[in-house]
Amino acid sequence: LNQGGLIAASTFSGNGGNIALNVNQLWLQDKAEITTNAGAGGNGGSIDLSSGVIVALKDSRISANAERGQGGNVRITAQGVFIDRSSSI
């Protein structure tokens, strides 16, 4: 994902959707995001990432959020995860 690219599962009410990716390499850069979000009253969906290498650069983000309920889980299975200081999981 590059230049603000987005993979998202969100809902206004109720529980957030889940995201599952199984890839050889996952690169996020220039404000790219993988995110789940639940609005009023729901729990955040989970993110499951399986990759040989995950790289997050230049303000990129992986997050599982909820406005009022519990945030979702982020599970990563990888041989290597590389994140610069401006990015977050």
Side-chain angles (χ1 to χ4, degrees):
L1 294 174
N2 194 7
Q3 296 180 343
L6 174 67
I7 296 174
S10 61
T11 182
F12 178 73
S13 63
N15 292 333
N18 297 320
I19 296 173
L21 295 175
N22 185 358
V23 296
N24 289 329
Q25 296 181 8
L26 179 60
W27 286 74
L28 293 90
Q29 57 187 10
D30 296 323
K31 298 184 180 181
E33 294 184 42
I34 298 174
T35 184
T36 62
N37 189 51
N43 294 322
S46 293
I47 299 173
D48 292 303
L49 303 175
S50 179
S51 178
V53 175
I54 297 175
V55 178
L57 304 171
K58 299 180 183 176
D59 279 333
S60 295
R61 182 172 64 146
I62 299 171
S63 63
N65 303 304
E67 290 179 25
R68 293 189 182 164
Q70 294 181 343
N73 295 310
V74 175
R75 289 186 277 292
I76 295 175
T77 304
Q79 293 179 353
V81 178
F82 304 94
I83 303 170
D84 73 2
R85 291 181 186 196
S86 67
S87 300
S88 63
I89 296 178

